Amino acid sequence: MKIVETKSVVLVVFVALLALLGTYFTMVVPLMDQSLYEPTADATPYSKLELRGKEIYQREGCTYCHTQQVRNLLAETKRYGMGEEETFKRYGVRALIQAPPSQPGEYVYDKPHLLGTRRVGPDLARVGGKYDNSWHINHLRDPRSTSPGSIMPAYSWYFDDRGQPTKDAIALVAYLQKLGTNIKWREQGVARVKNQ
Ligand code: HEC
């Protein structure tokens, strides 16, 4: 390929062509995959309250410490799944229910999506339904009260003088409880175990 190395115009055209080909196969072809735009069977749009909560999540930069994507790795599907104790307490069966890896159809109502890149704290893609609302309220008011030694900041400005949650705190919790519920994985996992 001496001609490419000696003629600058040919080199530029050659490099541009390669870059275009790369873009086409890594971006354009995957974007044509229709399954990216199909909501999962259980997916529902956010309610007004949940959308407000999402705005607060973005505004507070929760995404700098939390991702929203469970990867297809055993360490993650186990870590973000439902532990034996939790399944037993709630459903009366002793089994570890793994969290399903994230699917494109779960994100169709996320604009913008908040996948995140850093995990200073745990992933939140499957946090909906893990705790009750009062746990979240206490955790946001004072993370150390529910999680000793936590380095998560306290979001005290979402609470009034008497420590009662403001509307924004309630919206944020509603949003957190919605995360991961576009797949009914807890119910499905328990049903699978019971049918065995
Ligand atoms: C400085 C990093 C940081 C920021 C910013 C942050 N968190 Fe956290 N978060 C953590 C850490 C660390 C933990 C694990 C300890 C704990 O439970 O507090 C955590 C835990 C959590 C949990 C419990 C997850 C689980 O599965 O147990 C939730 C829910 C949560 N954070 C929500 C939020 C929300 C909502 C915001 C924004 C308002 C936020 N976090 C901002 C670091 C952060």
Side-chain angles (χ1 to χ4, degrees), residues 56-57 60-66 79-80 120-124 126-127 130-131 135-136 139-140 143-144 146-153 155 158 172 175-176:
I56 293 160
Y57 187 93
E60 292 297 345
C62 311
T63 191
Y64 294 118
C65 282
H66 291 287
R79 164 79 173 80
Y80 299 116
V120 178
D123 186 271
L124 297 181
R126 299 277 175 248
V127 85
K130 179 174 175 184
Y131 305 107
W135 187 94
H136 282 290
H139 183 245
L140 285 171
R144 262 67 60 195
T146 53
S147 318
S150 175
I151 56 156
M152 181 165 138
Y155 290 87
Y158 289 116
L172 182 56
Y175 170 68
L176 291 171

Side-chain angles (χ1 to χ4, degrees), residues 70-106:
V70 175
R71 292 174 294 182
N72 199 359
L73 303 169
L74 199 57
E76 297 204 1
T77 52
K78 278 184 163 175
R79 164 79 173 80
Y80 299 116
M82 202 160 43
E84 278 191 16
E85 285 305 313
E86 197 185 338
T87 319
F88 184 66
K89 225 166 47 195
R90 290 212 211 161
Y91 298 97
V93 283
R94 206 169 276 286
L96 171 93
I97 310 282
Q98 289 185 40
S102 296
Q103 296 173 20
E106 291 180 70

Side-chain angles (χ1 to χ4, degrees), residues 40-56:
T40 51
D42 300 317
T44 50
Y46 291 106
S47 69
K48 249 180 136 175
L49 186 70
E50 288 158 0
L51 269 183
R52 174 77 190 132
K54 185 167 187 275
E55 272 172 27
I56 293 160

